[in-house]
Amino acid sequence: MLIRKAKIQDLDGMMALINEYAQQGLMLPRSKLSLCETLHCFSVVIDDIGEVGEPGEVVGVGGLHILWEDLAEVRSLAISEKAKGKGLGKKLVNHLIDEARELGLRRVMSLTYQQEFFEKCKFYVVKKETLPHKVWKDCINCSKFPSCDEIAMIRELAPTPVGVK
Ligand SMILES: CC(C)(COP(=O)(O)OP(=O)(O)OC[C@H]1O[C@@H](n2cnc3c(N)ncnc32)[C@H](O)[C@@H]1OP(=O)(O)O)[C@@H](O)C(=O)NCCC(=O)NCCS
């Protein structure tokens, strides 16, 4: 398995994965346009046992969206049914956390139904009211707005000591 930044060639695989879970009400659907516009925010997990010379299958996807100068959000996180339970979700979240650290961010949040999974990824539950208003900008377009039943969770990122990369 390989975790890397998403490429245009991954779009169909990303959309299939996200929208399959969206149909089950587990996450928000994403249009191809919305994924194209935010492709640079996404990373993917690739199953590298494809044919030689063929791109591997997208079995995981997740985005890191910067919300404010000290806060980013993990969005559209999904691991395919066949790849679940192998630690890939946690690896992908840690990959996004590393990216947030490199960008100099101090906190990463998630709005989720998967509390236990995110607790394993070192997030903790916070009251939604404690999050900045900017978080709710995109929620206005959601069918669940304003009665969102997702759990707000945060992971604090320890500052990297000076001189350490
Ligand atoms: C949630 C999801 C991303 C987890 O991916 P995964 O690859 O199966 O998770 P991992 O194998 O990395 O699990 C990491 C840890 O979390 C635990 N965990 C994973 N899913 C869990 C769940 N639903 N309930 C409780 N614990 C869970 C695992 O047991 C593991 O624990 P360990 O570190 O003690 O071994 C995946 O199940 C998924 O895509 N679900 C559908 C879409 C979704 O709900 N996305 C979240 C939107 S915010």
Side-chain angles (χ1 to χ4, degrees):
M1 298 283 174
L2 165 74
I3 299 182
R4 60 157 169 75
K5 291 294 283 182
K7 300 181 186 182
I8 285 292
Q9 293 85 339
D10 302 322
L11 270 176
D12 288 341
M14 291 163 63
M15 220 171 74
L17 206 49
I18 293 169
N19 291 336
E20 194 183 317
Y21 286 127
Q23 278 174 9
Q24 298 169 36
L26 294 173
M27 55 202 297
L28 293 178
R30 295 264 167 210
S31 67
K32 198 161 187 173
L33 176 62
S34 135
L35 282 179
C36 273
E37 286 175 340
T38 55
L39 190 72
H40 54 284
C41 300
F42 280 91
S43 291
V44 287
V45 185
I46 300 292
D47 181 352
D48 47 10
I49 49 172
E51 300 288 318
V52 178
E54 290 287 312
E57 187 188 348
V58 176
V59 294
V61 58
L64 182 80
H65 294 250
I66 299 176
L67 296 170
W68 199 237
E69 59 183 346
D70 67 345
L71 183 65
E73 179 181 2
V74 171
R75 282 193 193 163
S76 305
L77 180 76
I79 300 292
S80 73
E81 285 295 349
K82 70 173 184 185
K84 269 184 184 176
K86 297 177 181 170
L88 293 173
K90 197 167 165 179
K91 276 194 186 141
L92 182 53
V93 168
N94 283 331
H95 178 87
L96 298 173
I97 293 285
D98 285 346
E99 192 179 330
R101 269 208 189 92
E102 279 175 29
L103 287 164
L105 290 151
R106 290 193 6 244
R107 297 187 302 159
V108 175
M109 59 157 286
S110 172
L111 287 169
T112 186
Y113 298 116
Q114 302 291 343
Q115 180 178 340
E116 285 184 45
F117 167 75
F118 276 98
E119 279 170 353
K120 297 275 173 140
C121 297
K122 301 184 187 163
F123 285 65
Y124 61 91
V125 176
V126 292
K127 287 191 175 159
K128 286 188 190 141
E129 309 84 80
T130 63
L131 298 172
H133 289 149
K134 174 81 169 62
V135 170
W136 311 112
K137 184 179 118 300
D138 292 335
C139 297
I140 292 166
N141 300 319
C142 175
S143 59
K144 292 178 182 169
F145 185 81
S147 311
C148 172
D149 55 351
E150 291 184 319
I151 302 158
M153 300 185 74
I154 290 255
R155 177 165 164 180
E156 310 276 353
L157 310 185
T160 313
V162 177
V164 177
K165 288 216 169 178

